[in-house]
Structure formats: structure tokens, C-alpha cells
Amino acid sequence: MIAPIVFALLGTALSAVLDPTLTEWKLLKTNEERVLFPLKDYILEVKSFLPDVYDTNPPYGELFRTDKASTMMALLHAGSWNNKVGRLVWNTIKYDRGFDVNIEECDARYQAYRSFPAGGKKEQIWAWNFNQDDVELTCDGEVQYTQHFDEGDVNPRKPGLPEKCRALGDAEVDRIIFRHMEGYYIRGIPRDGKKVTTPAPEVPTTKVQVITTKVPTKKPTTEADIITSTPSDEPDNVEYEEVYPTCDCWTPECGYCTNLECTVQQDLANSDRGITVTSTLKRKTLNTIVLYDDEGEQIGKFQMSLRGIWLSGCIQCRAPVALRQARDEEGRATWSFSLKDGVVRITVGEEVLYEQELVGECKEKYSRAVRFAFDDMSCENTFLYRRSEMEAGEKITPDCSGRCSH
């Protein structure tokens, strides 16, 4: 029997004036519901729940379909319910084989999440953000999937798949069919510059200030420009700094970022200089710093690429253009991330490229950051180990305990 189809969010949803009711959580009461939703005006948020019982390595059929107990699906339509332009499929769990998320018009195969959604918490807040040139999927503020519309995945397994999925990016999606999502919730987050008459969404909000400081025209700062000193008979106030690789904590030896011997202790809320990293900056490669409280519990992740900046649950925005200009000829740059006094800052040399003040729950949460580690960053990337304010775990060594030996 076909599940009942419910039409929701009618009226002004497709007009020039944004519908304030779209910002309120709407319960999906059946396994197939139709909703008028202008995807270019709103970010689509979904509140889902981790199943009590699930299998991360289930048997797969010939079509490699995952079990529906963990699967969410959104069919995108433009202009009418007969004009399907896209299909989004994603899951509430991370599968061992990486069959986690797929955009039918872009991917020949399912793509893998970067981590287990929401760190294994019961409640999950997903966000599908369709920009002009790309789309990204986050869970609790952490990026799990990205796709550029000028890229595709031509593959003989899927004849007819275009070299680019630009058609989906250009489509005027104004209605969505949600499937296999009974008991979950959806809402829209207005994009910048849009006004609604309802109170702000329930998720923690922040006061945003982007600094557009002009980047110096001199050669970008790189690791070679940093003068470090070695132990000697100099006075005690000499700053000792060493260049260490960004040891990846997502390994069995590090308990997949749970072993504190793979972290560095630092009072980030009171550090003027924060964490200084030298890395390659690209659009689709994330630089990820995992943050912990004094009990060793993860409180969130800071992630950055040339596309955007994310701080779990609190920040999700585009990266400043000046960040691209700060790279050297090989695409590398030395940058610093700090949380001093509840203000997130990204600096290159003495220049502040980005600044955002945290407020409310976000400020309280990240004021407890006293440890950090690096996730999925290669041995070619490095950070400055400052002995005066950092204490490295036993596995944080100049060769990452043998994992970065050359």
C-alpha cells in the first residue's frame, strides 16, 4: 500500500516573500511527504535520530542498496511534481564500506562520510546547503560531503551520467518529496540577507564579523619565515619552538581520536597565538583540528578549506578570499587558529583574515577547549610546538611515533 502523501508548507512558500513558517520544525508523519521548499532561498535542515539497533556492515544486494532503517531520501523537483531534477540519499550511520551518501545526478557510487554522524549521538542535525557552484552536507556542523557542480563522475556502471552535474546546480528546485523519513523533522534556514518575522532558530547562533584586512603584497608567510630557537644558555624567557608534523589521530593506535596520548594540551581560551599550522590549502581538502575539554571529551572540530570555515555547531561560512591569496606558489600557507576570549580568529602573519565572536552556548562550549589533535592531515603538513604553552602526548613526536618517518 502506498503511504499517504501530505502536502505541507503551502501558500507563500514560493513567493518572493520568504515564508516565516519554513523556519519552524515540521514533523514528517509518514514515509512519503511532499513539501514546497525553495532550495535556493533556504538551507534544508533535517533532524534525524540514530537507530537503537543498526548494522554498519549489512549484506548488500546487486544494486548496493543500504537498509531503509538508516536511509533518508529527498527527491528534488522544479516547477511541478512531474519534473524531478535530483535525488539525495544519505544515512544516519557511517557504513564500513563507505556507502553513506549519494547525489544521483553527480555520483556513480555512494561516497563515504568523514566521520560517524554527530559522533554517535542519538539526535542528528543535518544541513543540505546548495550554493551557486557547489553543495555541501553537514551533520552537527561537521562537513561530511561536498560536490562541485562543474565536476561529475562519468562511469560505465552508470551510463548517461554527465561529466558535470551543473544541471542540478542550475535547477530552480521549489518542491521536495521526502521518503523513508517518518518521525524526523525538517525546517529551512534563510540564507544571508533574507528576512523572516519569526524568532531565530533554536540552534546556537553567533555574532559574525568578517575582517577584510588587506593582505600584504610581500611574499606570503611560510614555515621558512618563522624563526625558531634551539635550547642554549640563553635566558629563561627565550621561546622554544619546534616544527612537528600534524600527526593524524584517526588511527587504531590513537583510538580514532580518543587516545589523549595523540593530543596536545594547550589552554586555547587564554592563548594569544593559538595553533600555528603550515599546510596545503585547497577547495575540497579540509584542514581539521579536533578540540577536547579537560576530561578528554571531544567538544567539536575546527575545519577550514578554501571553500569554507566550520566550527562544529556554531560556525558555517565561506572562507575569505584573502585566504587564497595568502598561499605560496605551491599552494601552501602558514596560518594560525585561536579561540582567545571566545573569539575565533584566523591569521596569516600579523594579518587577521577572519574573526568571529562566539556567544551564548557556543562561547561556553569552546571556552573549555584545553587539548587539540589533527584529523586526516598528512605528514607533509606541520604545526609549531611551543614548549612554553603546550604539552604533547607521548605519541606526538617529530615523526608521529614512526608514522611520519621518511
Side-chain angles (χ1 to χ4, degrees):
M1 179 177 179
I2 299 176
I5 298 176
V6 179
F7 289 82
L9 310 180
L10 299 175
T12 61
L14 302 181
S15 66
V17 179
L18 297 185
D19 182 2
T21 65
L22 282 175
T23 63
E24 302 170 2
W25 285 117
K26 301 292 183 182
L27 173 64
L28 299 177
K29 298 180 180 180
T30 70
N31 270 326
E32 181 166 328
E33 296 205 19
R34 299 189 177 195
V35 177
L36 296 178
F37 194 101
L39 200 55
K40 288 191 174 180
D41 292 330
Y42 293 89
I43 297 171
L44 171 63
E45 279 201 344
V46 175
K47 182 192 296 185
S48 63
F49 304 97
L50 182 69
D52 294 329
V53 179
Y54 56 87
D55 184 359
T56 60
N57 189 25
Y60 293 88
E62 293 180 359
L63 298 180
F64 296 94
R65 290 177 178 170
T66 56
D67 53 311
K68 293 296 184 290
S70 68
T71 300
M72 296 173 282
M73 184 182 298
L75 305 180
L76 310 180
H77 292 73
S80 77
W81 296 110
N82 295 321
N83 183 29
K84 182 173 78 71
V85 296
R87 187 180 75 158
L88 317 177
V89 183
W90 73 110
N91 288 273
T92 57
I93 67 175
K94 177 176 173 59
Y95 285 96
D96 294 349
R97 302 190 196 181
F99 300 145
D100 300 330
V101 56
N102 176 272
I103 297 181
E104 187 177 59
E105 289 66 32
C106 300
D107 302 315
R109 299 181 178 89
Y110 277 80
Q111 306 297 307
Y113 291 150
R114 288 183 53 82
S115 63
F116 200 95
K121 293 189 300 182
K122 181 69 173 179
E123 182 179 291
Q124 306 168 337
I125 305 296
W126 299 89
W128 281 101
N129 187 3
F130 277 74
N131 301 303
Q132 180 178 355
D133 295 322
D134 53 39
V135 57
E136 67 183 14
L137 173 65
T138 64
C139 184
D140 282 21
E142 182 179 354
V143 179
Q144 295 288 5
Y145 168 85
T146 60
Q147 173 65 52
H148 199 283
F149 293 133
D150 285 333
E151 298 173 358
D153 192 12
V154 175
N155 192 290
R157 292 170 54 89
K158 213 170 178 183
L161 196 67
E163 293 184 3
K164 301 179 180 180
C165 51
R166 169 54 62 184
L168 176 60
D170 292 340
E172 296 291 337
V173 176
D174 58 5
R175 58 199 71 200
I176 302 174
I177 299 177
F178 294 96
R179 289 182 177 170
H180 316 299
M181 297 171 63
E182 179 180 358
Y184 295 169
Y185 295 80
I186 63 168
R187 72 174 173 186
I189 302 298
R191 298 185 181 279
D192 293 344
K194 306 295 184 180
K195 296 182 179 180
V196 295
T197 58
T198 55
E202 297 173 2
V203 294
T205 57
T206 54
K207 179 181 178 182
V208 179
Q209 180 184 9
V210 178
I211 306 299
T212 57
T213 309
K214 184 178 181 180
V215 178
T217 56
K218 65 177 184 178
K219 180 182 178 181
T221 304
T222 64
E223 185 179 293
D225 298 321
I226 298 175
I227 300 176
T228 61
S229 56
T230 55
S232 65
D233 295 329
E234 296 296 325
D236 292 338
N237 61 357
V238 172
E239 174 67 66
Y240 297 136
E241 298 179 338
E242 300 177 63
V243 177
Y244 277 30
T246 53
C247 306
D248 184 9
C249 67
W250 192 257
T251 65
E253 296 82 3
C254 291
Y256 299 102
C257 299
T258 62
N259 185 349
L260 297 187
E261 295 302 331
C262 298
T263 69
V264 178
Q265 188 171 353
Q266 182 186 23
D267 186 3
L268 287 163
N270 295 301
S271 173
D272 290 317
R273 292 173 296 180
I275 306 167
T276 300
V277 177
T278 299
S279 65
T280 302
L281 298 177
K282 299 179 180 180
R283 285 184 56 85
K284 300 188 70 172
T285 301
L286 291 171
N287 290 259
T288 301
I289 300 176
V290 186
L291 302 171
Y292 305 79
D293 62 18
D294 56 2
E295 296 182 357
E297 297 293 328
Q298 287 191 26
I299 59 177
K301 295 181 180 180
F302 168 78
Q303 296 177 295
M304 183 178 75
S305 71
L306 292 180
R307 292 183 56 254
I309 296 170
W310 299 266
L311 187 65
S312 301
C314 297
I315 295 176
Q316 179 176 323
C317 62
R318 290 186 176 277
V321 175
L323 191 61
R324 179 186 297 273
Q325 300 169 345
R327 299 179 301 167
D328 62 18
E329 294 179 355
E330 297 179 349
R332 296 173 63 82
T334 295
W335 50 273
S336 296
F337 160 74
S338 66
L339 285 167
K340 172 76 171 179
D341 297 328
V343 179
V344 175
R345 289 189 181 90
I346 299 173
T347 58
V348 172
E350 298 297 323
E351 301 295 333
V352 178
L353 302 189
Y354 175 87
E355 184 174 89
Q356 178 166 323
E357 178 184 355
L358 300 177
V359 298
E361 294 181 6
C362 288
K363 184 174 183 178
E364 188 279 329
K365 176 181 179 180
Y366 286 101
S367 68
R368 297 184 280 112
V370 295
R371 288 181 181 271
F372 70 89
F374 298 99
D375 182 8
D376 196 25
M377 293 182 66
S378 70
C379 298
E380 286 69 31
N381 299 324
T382 62
F383 78 102
L384 278 185
Y385 176 50
R386 299 186 175 100
R387 296 185 181 184
S388 62
E389 59 179 278
M390 296 180 179
E391 182 178 348
E394 290 186 1
K395 294 186 180 297
I396 302 295
T397 66
D399 67 349
C400 295
S401 298
R403 288 180 286 126
C404 286
S405 57
H406 296 285

